[in-house]
Amino acid sequence: MKILAFAGSNNPQSINQQLAAYATGLLSEHGSTLINLRDYPMPLFSVEILGKEGVPENSILLFDEIQKYDAFIISIAENNRSVTAVFKNTIDWLSKSVKTNNPADTNVFRDKPVLLLSTSPGSVGASVALENATGTITQLGGNVVDKFSLPIFYQNTKIDADGFHIVNESMSAEFKSLIVRFENKLSERATINH
């Protein structure tokens, strides 16, 4: 199965992009692609723009890219105890990119498995935004199979000659176990679907 990973951030130094990249590097059974929302800039969503100009090309491109994959890893960044503006805006446009005759159809993720992650420099690890995003992703057809929040990013991670690591041993073990569980769920799904 093919996994698409990205962070809900357009920060060029996004710690959530780093966490998503680390997660894909731990995958052993399934291929993955890491993308960056910075490559899909979109105007601020409004009904007026939708009516006058339609869905932006980058939203259609991202929607089409999402459809090529069997599962997703999304790392949720947080601003003021909510998801970032770029993530909310992207989701709003994606919900208008679904290609059916039903304007109420917002099934962007087509009931496929989603692993949600989050991190922040603070002690709650963007967990409030993570919970907010869980409802949103579910509303858009994502089957959220697991979640993980990493608090105090700069204290609990490091980059050295061997690359990115979670240095807190219990958190590292929990994260690696999470990835194994996610891959096992994908393998079970692939067996059922064949």
Side-chain angles (χ1 to χ4, degrees), residues 22 158-166:
Y22 179 60
K158 72 173 182 177
I159 299 174
D160 59 22
D162 295 323
F164 179 94
H165 305 282
I166 296 175

Side-chain angles (χ1 to χ4, degrees), residues 12 18 30 42-43 52 57 80 92 116 128 140 170 179 187 190:
Q18 292 177 54
H30 303 280
M42 300 174 206
K52 288 182 178 178
E57 180 180 358
N80 298 318
D92 287 345
L116 286 181
V128 176
L140 297 188
S170 64
I179 298 300
S187 296

Side-chain angles (χ1 to χ4, degrees), residues 23-54:
T24 62
L26 294 176
L27 296 168
S28 61
E29 298 179 22
H30 303 280
S32 65
T33 301
L34 180 69
I35 62 169
N36 194 314
L37 291 187
R38 289 172 55 82
D39 297 327
Y40 298 91
M42 300 174 206
L44 185 63
F45 178 82
S46 77
V47 173
E48 181 183 12
I49 292 174
L50 178 62
K52 288 182 178 178
E53 302 174 22

Side-chain angles (χ1 to χ4, degrees), residues 6 23 41 51 71 131 133 146 159 169 179 181 187:
F6 60 92
E131 289 308 312
D146 222 332
I159 299 174
E169 289 185 11
I179 298 300
R181 285 198 314 270
S187 296

